[in-house]
Amino acid sequence: MSLKAPRGTQDLLPGVSEKWQYIENALTELCTNYHYKEIRTPIFEHTELFQRGVGDTTDIVQREMYTFTDRGDRSITLRPEGTASVVRAFVENKLFGSPNQPTKLFYVGPMFRYERPQQGRMRQFVQFGVEALGSADPAIDAEVLALAMNCYQSFGLKSLKLVVNSLGDKESRENHRDALIGHFTPHKDELCDDCKVRLEKNPLRVLDCKKDRNHPAMETAPSILDFLNEESKNYFESVQQHLTNMGIPFVVDPNLVRGLDYYNHTAFEIMSNADGFGAITTLSGGGRYNGLVEELGGPETPGIGFALSVERLLMAIDAEGIELPVDESLDCYIITMGEKANQKAVSLQYKLRQAGIQVDKDYLNKKPKGQWKAADRLQAKFAIVLGDDELQRSIASVKNLSTGEQEEVDFADLEIYLKSALQGGK
Ligand code: HAM
């Protein structure tokens, strides 16, 4: 039997992993500009965290979690998303006690959902997300939406659509909930078994059902926007005003529901409009989740955030034909002739590497011709040539592989010479 990676997972090999590093570094830098700090939480948590946090009636909790019993008889789940974990860590570590509020955090790491894999939908995928806890100012909603858009714009993406909605506060949601129950109850028998339960437990979820999505009652379902009370309406208008002031285009879609239960007020998704982007066009999503911190045992604290998957970001980058400026070159490759030179190369490259210069050499006993070919293949900028003659004179011949120029450099000066040459001085 040949062993393969499990369905819905992938290996990121050299050549591709550099793109991931580039993206993760760029997103980290962007978050630093917005003054968000990194948080790293465990990859597995107690199952109850997601049941309570994400919501019992969601697809994620009902059928997509990787849950197992550990040897201590605890129910453990590989995290399907990051928000519940971040909120748990916020409460457990009493981050609400810090004088610096709101607490602005970002994270990047693998998430796990047992979904039917297709392009852009994996069972293990990497989410990059942010959470801002402790402020109920519409300006922070606008900041999170702006940051989410910036994540794509910073790579040069243009075919983007920001879709926003408001799910309102508790009162608005309760009124909307009653209207949804009134609307769907006459059709209850025509809905799927899950929706029959959802209708009682959480009718908003019916709007997000993949099976019943084409039922005629979906189109005529009452819109949340008609049920927003004064406060929720003002809040939503204020978020939109901030977006307009920042010059960020958006559309309002009252049918945007989101697949997790913790949302209220602002909800949003970013889609790709690019030709050739796969069937799944949602790049990222998020929203406000006032109430989640209390639900997970903390003090009353509002929160908002979003998450994107790096897989879908890369799909959008490919669909728009953008080449990431990933540098796969190597600073220097040492070419040796003879055993003594080979020995010298080992200590020389150790010294140069310690000085922060990228260096590699042959380990397959190749003849000089093969070593030159390797230098070329590895896109080395400089070749450092060592032979008996060079060793005797304590020098190396350094060849600039793009100009073909060659110079003799004393061993003692090699580090300074290469550093200056690599900065474009030579
Ligand atoms: P979500 O909409 O479930 O929200 O996921 C956010 C993003 O993760 C999606 O838009 C998509 O890019 C990506 N994603 C989800 N599932 C998969 C998958 N199977 N394969 C590849 N990518 C996927 C959340 O997870 C919330 N925690 C977001 C949030 C943060 N809300 C507030 N704060």
Side-chain angles (χ1 to χ4, degrees), residues 38-279:
E38 188 179 9
I39 180 166
R40 300 186 190 199
T41 62
I43 281 177
F44 58 85
E45 298 270 1
H46 293 290
T47 303
E48 195 191 345
L49 173 68
F50 303 112
Q51 286 167 337
R52 276 171 49 190
V54 174
D56 260 341
T57 55
T58 58
D59 277 354
I60 294 180
V61 170
Q62 283 194 343
R63 53 178 75 94
E64 293 174 0
M65 294 204 303
Y66 281 89
T67 298
F68 59 95
T69 308
D70 75 4
R71 285 166 196 269
D73 225 20
R74 300 171 197 91
S75 181
I76 295 292
T77 293
L78 301 185
R79 61 183 183 190
E81 61 106 47
T83 311
S85 303
V86 170
V87 171
R88 193 235 353 106
F90 176 82
V91 174
E92 187 172 340
N93 297 286
K94 299 191 172 55
L95 299 186
F96 47 81
S98 156
N100 297 326
Q101 298 299 339
T103 302
K104 304 207 294 184
L105 303 165
F106 76 91
Y107 50 90
V108 53
M111 306 290 161
F112 306 85
R113 294 186 194 177
Y114 191 81
E115 293 193 87
R116 206 156 46 82
Q118 63 181 92
Q119 204 198 11
R121 187 187 288 146
M122 307 287 295
R123 289 186 173 165
Q124 176 176 331
F125 56 99
V126 172
Q127 263 191 357
F128 174 87
V130 313
E131 313 293 347
L133 293 137
S135 167
D137 181 340
I140 198 103
D141 299 47
E143 172 176 294
V144 168
L145 270 70
L147 171 53
M149 285 298 277
N150 246 210
C151 284
Y152 299 102
Q153 289 157 338
S154 63
F155 299 107
L157 290 169
K158 294 204 167 62
S159 302
L160 301 167
K161 184 165 131 190
L162 170 63
V163 182
V164 297
N165 189 21
S166 171
L167 301 176
D169 62 4
K170 208 166 172 228
E171 184 189 63
S172 313
R173 287 158 66 86
E174 271 166 15
N175 291 338
H176 183 226
R177 181 193 153 95
D178 293 344
L180 285 171
I181 294 175
H183 177 78
F184 281 114
T185 301
H187 304 285
K188 192 170 174 181
D189 292 345
E190 300 143 28
L191 298 176
C192 73
D193 288 345
D194 285 334
C195 279
K196 288 187 182 104
V197 178
R198 287 173 182 140
L199 192 53
E200 273 164 35
K201 283 198 177 171
N202 185 1
L204 195 67
R205 282 268 76 79
V206 175
L207 297 178
D208 196 35
C209 178
K210 288 173 189 129
K211 282 190 204 145
D212 289 331
R213 119 174 85 199
N214 295 321
H215 191 287
M218 289 288 177
E219 267 193 28
T220 50
S223 158
I224 176 69
L225 294 183
D226 295 329
F227 292 84
L228 294 185
N229 59 16
E230 223 29 51
E231 204 186 319
S232 301
K233 219 182 274 174
N234 290 340
Y235 195 93
F236 191 35
E237 271 164 20
S238 180
V239 174
Q240 294 179 62
Q241 190 58 54
H242 282 301
L243 290 175
T244 306
N245 294 347
M246 286 190 278
I248 300 174
F250 62 92
V251 291
V252 175
D253 178 357
N255 293 323
L256 180 79
V257 176
R258 308 276 306 124
L260 305 95
D261 274 353
Y262 45 62
Y263 293 113
N264 40 58
H265 288 289
T266 315
F268 72 99
E269 286 186 354
I270 297 174
M271 325 275 184
S272 169
N273 285 329
D275 289 342
F277 194 80

